[in-house]
Amino acid sequence: MATIINPQAKPRPPATPIDLLNNDTARLYTHIHPMLVLSLYAYKFRSIVEDPVPALTSTLIPLSILQIVYVAICLPPTGGSGSAAAQLEKRKPGEKKKPAPGKLESGVNGKIIPAFLSLVLSVLAATPLLTATLVLFGAPVTTHHPHTFLCAAHISLLATLPLVYVHGVDGETWREIVALLLPIDEVYGGMIGTVFGAWLGAVPIPLDWDREWQKWPVTIVTGAYIGYAVGKLVGGTLLKGRKIMFE
Amino acid sequence: MDNGEPLPSYEGIAAAFAKAKAEKEKQEAQGLKPTTGDAAKANKQEEVHFKAAHGILVAFFTWIFILHALGIYLFTSGFLLTRLVLEQKSHCSVPPIDTTRSYTSGSPETGCWHPKSFEKAIVIIVDALRYDFTIPFPAEGSEKPHHFHNAVPVFYETAVNQPHNAFLLPFIADPPTTTLQRLKGLTTGTLPTFVDAGSNFAGTAIDEDNLIAQLRNASKRIVHLGDDTWHALFPGYFEPNLTRAYDSFNVWDLHTVDNGVTDHMFPLMHSSNTSKWDVIFGHYLGVDHAGHRYGPDHPAMTAKLNQMDEIFRRMIDQLDGTTLLVVMGDHGMDAKGDHGGESDDEIQAALWMYSKQKLFGRSSPAYVTPPATAKERPVAQIDLVPTLSLLLGMPIPFNNLGKPIEEAFIGAKGEDYENLAIVNRLTTAQIHRYQHEYALARGIDESTRAGSLSLWSAANDAWSSLERKKKPSRDQFRDVYSAFSAYQQETLSICRALWARFDIPRMLNGVTILVLTLIILAVYARGLEGDRSELTPALLGRGGFGTVLGCAIGFGATFALPDVPKEHVFIYAAAIGGTVGIASAFWYIRRRLASPLPNSIWGWVSVVFTLALSAGFAANSFTIWEDEILLHFLCTFGALTAISSFRQKKTSDRALGCYHSILFIVLTRVASFSRLCREEQMPYCKSTYYASATSSTSAPWQLAIPYVVALLLPIFIRGYYEGTMSYQGSAILWLGFALRFGLLLGAAYWTLDAADDGDWYPGYGEMLKTTKIVIAQIALAIALAFGYSTFNWAKPLLNIETKSTANGDTSGQIVADGGRTSITILGYANVHGSRYALLITMWCLAIALVEKPMGAGAIGIATWQVFSLLEIIDTNKLSNSSIGPVVLGLLGSYHFFKTGHQATLSSIQWETAFIPLRTIRYPWSPLLVILNTFGAQILCAVAVPALVLWKQPPKKKGLLGDVAKAVGTHILFYAVINLATTMWAGHLRRHLMLYRIFSPRFMTGALVLLVVDVFCIFVAIGGTRMSFLSVAEVFGWTS
């Protein structure tokens, strides 16, 4: 990574929105992916309403697979495409070009492994943080722990897995992510959409409609899924490159 | 925070200081006196200017307050139900319909309209005797009986064992379930209207026809013992030498009233004294007070009910044959022992009648056992009026809508349907006569009640066909009885709907005034550029002139519109005139107008929070769960400021902002554990405010909370002061000593109160009572008397450190020419903020005392959050934004719930009136209840100016205008909420949940707005004056 190569790196270059990988598969699959995610959720919805804990647990695995496939097919891994050109320039004159690794090998090394790492990171780091946030926002403290935890796991798979894949674990980048300073792209839009959707998902809980689906945490997870799809679509198209202004 | 910046004005001022010091040093050396003529004069002028600008600001906000009050008054007087009170009285000699069976009416000796059954009566109200107290707890199931179960079995036993002597029935009250309202219903037989609910503190005499007046007209001697509310309602009706009245509002006293009633009752029942009276009305208050003080599920309740049981057994023993004994509850109590609303527990009282004659019967043998729940075979409380009237041979009061109770007239065999038909015919005829007169008085066409009129003629036809028969059968009498009954039922339901009469024009005009005021306030708070204190004189002048003009026009218009009530026209014209005046003022200053729409994410967040909350009040679920919604919003605010803090450039701002944002969220969540659930939140909510869901005393561990607050809160606040070296001078005395001492006294008060409540030291009750009252008075004196004198006279919290320049390090120090020393002004960075914020802590102390122990914890957290908010606003540079005042509004509303309140009548903690007083004293008692109820909102309102003063340089221009802007925004928040709840209550006026949910929320919103208005004007803006004067004494005035 650039920061490691040059620790006292001068003012950071302004962050640019993440572009999709430059191939037709990526351009096509990025639109199929949210449909698959929403279909998965719609397919599981009935059983989630019936008994949230086992259903949400079992949905985690297909969701992780979908997310890994998506990032591997569509997105540039961290330190990948963006800095590839820079690395090319930095090569010392006369240095031998390394033999290009095989396609499969490079696919696994460059994509599948980072994707798995992203999965591990979002489950290990983001989920507990999100669980705590949910509790602070009013999730039950003494009961429903598995529910809240699974809800946080779903949000973190949707929101943070692609982010970790494209941005890595650089502290300053993550400060910018949390501070909403990055320009919007489909990954960032997906994250903001997921969180905002989950936030809105709390609205129907107090209503006295006596519906089964009003129970914790169904509405939150539903909001997160819908928010993810909408945020990803809008972030990748309409709002791409825009920045969030607070003032 | 201007740490790293070059301190533009700081340098000037501090240099001046240093120079002055050097000068002084020089003068001291030479023995000269300082002479500063012109500067002092200019400064004096600026001071006068400030005082004038400040006075105008106070006047302007007072004008806004008056507009709010007028709008609320107009809406309320049209919204809260109105019923025309008819003056007519029933007369013994004028039965409503021809009497039957050759009965000659007109003599009270034999019975006015119907032969009487009893010579005398003892009517006893056991305040808050809920129906389920009187019936045995069902043995099946795993549920354990509560303290209130099986404690007063006498009613049930007599009803089952001697069914011809006694019966016990559920007795359903018409809400509002306050004693005064219930007494009106129990004596007049009419439905209550909501307007009277507020008059519980000052009852007024009943001028409608009623049972007591009828008894007095018939020269009966009436004795009253107990609750003095009766004397407010029936002044001069009772035998003065036998009657004993007792103060009813001292809810902490369980025994004085009851013992008084008992002590005077039994001598009167003695055979030597029975000739001295005809009817006794007794009113026991102990059960109600035990409920208010401890909640129903408490050993004190068991003891009280056992005492009642024993009293009534004695009464049965001593009763003579010609006397009727009636015992009833005037209302029930909710799970915490409070009442006022219309939940099932509050309206389900018990009625028991007993006589030595075997008079009572049941229409079915199965009915001998009293109903297992109050849902079966209930009688309405208004039914008592015709029943007692006929049993005692009195005419039925003119306005009565109730019907005779079946059990009392059906005869011991349970088949005297003839008698039942006759008494129902009489009662119904009186209702018919009343309805006819009412329609005439109101100018209502008879055709509007065609349905009930056809029922009336059908019943009459059935009766006349029966009269023509020789020997009508039992079933035929029963049919006639049900025909008359049907008319009574129909009329009653029509009246219930009819008296939900709303005066729509008044409501609309009230809402119009509120909308216009809201627009004025919105433009003033968010739509003006520059210093508001410069613009306010023009606004106030034109607005005031418009109001006066409007008053004049309104006065003229009252002659043009004779049909509309005068005060309605007058108020409306004045408000519209004021609005026109202010509109012209806005036109006059149009160059300073800007769009009041938000232009940053913070503005939008403020708008979204306010509007989302307001829109939510249209749904009963969102109104019920308002506390959770506020939690969600406050956490969202914390999350947003955490994000915003990450965006800050300076690391110190980032770290501080983040820390305080997270602290703010965590504190919000911690406070959320203090809950008092309203009935509608069940079963998803668990009350923690008191020891248990069915009590209103604190658990022992909760008594520790005020001590923790007393120990920690001053330390935390001190931390906020030390950040800018402002922990100086008076702050040390106040925060370090007085505040902590006051909080400790508050904690001690609640411990003593618990000791007194729980009777931990038997025999020392009186001493505990005196001590705790004195302690409360001292704590209040520290908060307000000592606090305010400190606040008024304290110097700014500064300390000037003088160092010799020899050490060479001059960074952050100012050295003047000719001075041998350098000085550092400690506390300079937050002169205004630290000085003003003392006021917050003073009110924190006063409010923490009047809240229950759990509430003191919530108030402590609220104060801590306020200081965190000040830091958040400062590090994110939001002092100019609307978000600060709006979040204070959310915070105040949130802690309203965390201090054990809900938007319901029954959650008002009336007993706080007695914290520093023994008896009701005006105006202090209502003020204490207000301080308790709206304490959180008051605390946050007082904190509003601190938002714009915190860490502002003393010479900054336009600070007074900033305060006006922030206060305007804060009031704007509550004004929007008030307008929304008002409009929803008006719009949903036919909604099933109107009285349960929307109407109480509207009343809360209106009261909060008015209270916040007053506190913003006189405490917040008033406090700004003291604080500014004190700062200017040191730094001079900025022009």
Side-chain angles (χ1 to χ4, degrees), chain B residues 607-946:
Chain B
V607 169
V608 167
F609 281 166
T610 314
L611 292 187
L613 201 59
S614 306
F617 290 130
N620 45 8
S621 320
F622 288 134
T623 312
I624 293 167
W625 292 100
E626 190 185 346
D627 50 346
E628 295 292 290
I629 295 171
L630 289 167
L631 166 72
H632 202 65
F633 282 177
L634 286 171
C635 286
T636 307
F637 168 75
L640 285 176
T641 53
I643 291 172
S644 164
S645 300
F646 272 117
R647 295 168 78 99
Q648 298 302 317
K649 290 195 181 65
K650 278 197 299 188
T651 323
S652 63
D653 278 358
R654 238 183 247 168
L656 258 182
C658 249
Y659 164 70
H660 286 296
S661 302
I662 292 167
L663 179 68
F664 187 85
I665 297 178
V666 172
L667 288 178
T668 309
R669 189 69 172 108
V670 170
S672 78
F673 293 112
S674 163
R675 309 181 79 170
L676 181 85
C677 308
R678 59 188 287 165
E679 199 201 0
E680 293 83 0
Q681 290 181 323
M682 298 300 176
Y684 305 106
C685 174
K686 197 173 174 314
S687 287
T688 55
Y689 198 70
Y690 296 117
S692 75
T694 52
S695 92
S696 53
T697 49
S698 301
W701 67 268
Q702 287 173 325
L703 295 178
I705 294 175
Y707 290 101
V708 175
V709 171
L711 289 179
L712 295 182
L713 188 65
I715 298 177
F716 294 141
I717 296 177
R718 187 180 160 171
Y720 288 91
Y721 273 71
E722 279 177 340
T724 49
M725 308 284 183
S726 300
Y727 192 63
Q728 314 278 359
S730 301
I732 299 177
L733 175 68
W734 173 257
L735 294 177
F737 178 70
L739 176 65
R740 172 166 295 153
F741 184 62
L743 286 170
L744 275 176
L745 285 181
Y749 171 84
W750 286 106
T751 310
L752 288 178
D753 177 64
D756 182 23
D757 262 2
D759 217 5
W760 295 351
Y761 304 103
Y764 290 92
E766 196 49 37
M767 208 178 88
L768 285 175
K769 208 163 270 157
T770 313
T771 320
K772 73 176 186 183
I773 287 177
V774 169
I775 284 182
Q777 286 171 347
I778 295 175
L780 277 179
I782 290 178
L784 299 179
F786 178 71
Y788 257 97
S789 38
T790 307
F791 186 67
N792 196 21
W793 307 119
K795 295 264 171 290
L797 310 179
L798 294 170
N799 197 10
I800 294 163
E801 233 171 46
T802 310
K803 277 183 196 154
S804 146
T805 43
N807 61 16
D809 177 21
T810 53
S811 64
Q813 299 170 1
I814 311 297
V815 190
D817 294 336
R820 291 180 307 276
T821 53
S822 77
I823 61 164
T824 313
I825 308 180
L826 301 178
Y828 182 87
N830 194 11
V831 176
H832 274 296
S834 62
R835 183 70 180 72
Y836 181 81
L838 290 181
L839 192 62
I840 305 173
T841 59
M842 283 159 201
W843 283 95
C844 160
L845 173 56
I847 295 165
L849 170 76
V850 297
E851 303 289 354
K852 303 277 169 76
M854 201 72 168
I859 288 296
I861 289 180
T863 311
W864 193 2
Q865 281 187 289
V866 164
F867 279 96
S868 254
L869 181 67
L870 296 178
E871 291 289 346
I872 292 172
I873 295 295
D874 173 62
T875 51
N876 288 294
K877 293 154 195 80
L878 293 173
S879 67
N880 211 17
S881 165
S882 57
I883 192 74
V886 169
V887 167
L888 274 183
L890 293 173
L891 194 66
S893 313
Y894 178 66
H895 283 283
F896 167 77
F897 295 101
K898 301 303 133 193
T899 47
H901 299 97
Q902 286 285 351
T904 57
L905 281 176
S906 61
S907 76
I908 300 174
Q909 298 166 15
W910 296 108
E911 62 276 20
T912 40
F914 297 100
I915 289 175
L917 298 171
R918 266 174 190 277
T919 52
I920 298 272
R921 280 173 60 186
Y922 295 94
W924 308 114
S925 304
L927 283 180
L928 282 162
V929 175
I930 287 176
L931 195 64
N932 165 280
T933 309
F934 304 118
Q937 283 103 332
I938 289 171
L939 182 75
C940 290
V942 172
V944 172

Side-chain angles (χ1 to χ4, degrees), chain A residues 134-141 172 175 178-181 199 202-204 206-210 244-247, chain B residues 599-602 620-622 625 628 631-633 635-636 639-640 643-644 646-648 654 665-666 669 673 878:
Chain A
L134 285 173
V135 171
L136 283 176
F137 269 69
V141 179
E172 181 58 20
R175 179 184 79 84
V178 173
L180 302 181
L181 281 168
W199 188 86
V203 173
L207 287 169
D208 56 354
W209 295 345
D210 291 328
I244 296 171
M245 301 305 290
F246 264 54
E247 301 306 326
Chain B
N599 49 16
S600 74
I601 206 163
W602 294 112
N620 45 8
S621 320
F622 288 134
W625 292 100
E628 295 292 290
L631 166 72
H632 202 65
F633 282 177
C635 286
T636 307
L640 285 176
I643 291 172
S644 164
F646 272 117
R647 295 168 78 99
Q648 298 302 317
R654 238 183 247 168
I665 297 178
V666 172
R669 189 69 172 108
F673 293 112
L878 293 173

